[in-house]
Amino acid sequence: MITIHAKSTSEAEKLLASGTTSKVLLDYSVTTDDFFKIADAWCAQGAKISKKAGMFVISLKGFRIPPND
């Protein structure tokens, strides 16, 4: 499974919302506020957050249908 690197909170949220990836690595210095904002929004939808080599990885399970913009 491919892990996509995000360089900002907004990029991470766009990647997760797009439905094109199921794992996003937060490849930047995450603030406490950013962490809890992402955790609140995505863990409620079934995402899991883990820490790997000092960085957070957000994993989505199952098939997501991207929003119809």
Side-chain angles (χ1 to χ4, degrees), residues 2-21:
I2 298 173
T3 303
I4 305 293
H5 292 243
K7 299 292 182 182
S8 68
T9 302
S10 61
E11 183 181 2
E13 289 179 341
K14 285 178 188 175
L15 288 167
L16 291 165
S18 72
T20 58
T21 184

Side-chain angles (χ1 to χ4, degrees), residues 2-60:
I2 298 173
T3 303
I4 305 293
H5 292 243
K7 299 292 182 182
S8 68
T9 302
S10 61
E11 183 181 2
E13 289 179 341
K14 285 178 188 175
L15 288 167
L16 291 165
S18 72
T20 58
T21 184
S22 60
K23 278 192 172 187
V24 175
L25 177 82
L26 303 181
D27 195 6
Y28 62 97
S29 181
V30 180
T31 65
T32 306
D33 289 341
D34 288 342
F35 176 82
F36 284 110
K37 179 181 173 186
I38 290 172
D40 182 46
W42 291 99
C43 288
Q45 296 182 33
K48 302 291 182 202
I49 300 176
S50 59
K51 196 167 187 180
K52 194 179 228 182
M55 290 185 238
F56 293 104
V57 178
I58 303 170
S59 302
L60 296 173

